[in-house]
Amino acid sequence: MGKAMTIRTRREPGCVIVTVAGETDIVTASRLRDRLIALAAGGRPLVADLDQVSFIDATGLGALAGAARGAADHGVSLHVVCDQPQTPRLFRVTGLDRQIPLARNLAEALRALGVGRDTQPS
């Protein structure tokens, strides 16, 4: 059995940062999607930091696509941070990179959102 998924949330000026760790798969994907959509209801853009995700399958990618649609329904966006080479490659192969903006690091994602300060993990 793999590493269980954890979701940490941090509200920052101008956005909500969601740090995901562990495995995002058929067992955990719906929890991630539901959490992101619930946070989007607050009306602030979301940044999902996936750098600590050790595995993501098609269900996990689908959860992110669903969360991006849910965020758009609330008038906000979902941005994804991930510098691990396999995840951006999956986004490109599936076309998800055309739906969800990708950034190599948190500072890049915050700049894309127009958030004034570079937030560092605590």
Side-chain angles (χ1 to χ4, degrees), residues 10-99:
R10 192 171 75 229
R11 287 168 176 75
E12 294 289 338
C15 70
V16 177
I17 299 169
V18 181
T19 303
V20 184
E23 296 186 353
T24 305
D25 57 20
I26 194 165
V27 175
T28 60
S30 62
R31 183 166 58 103
L32 176 60
R33 182 195 61 238
D34 294 347
R35 181 72 175 134
L36 290 171
I37 292 172
L39 289 165
R44 292 180 13 184
L46 304 175
V47 176
D49 185 344
L50 303 183
D51 269 347
Q52 297 176 43
V53 170
S54 57
F55 175 81
I56 188 165
D57 67 5
T59 311
L61 294 175
L64 290 170
R69 285 189 300 275
D73 289 346
H74 290 290
V76 298
S77 60
L78 170 66
H79 292 243
V80 169
V81 171
C82 190
D83 196 32
Q84 297 179 22
Q86 68 275 13
T87 303
R89 187 170 43 244
L90 286 172
F91 272 63
R92 283 189 303 275
V93 167
T94 61
L96 197 54
D97 63 333
R98 292 186 295 272
Q99 297 174 29

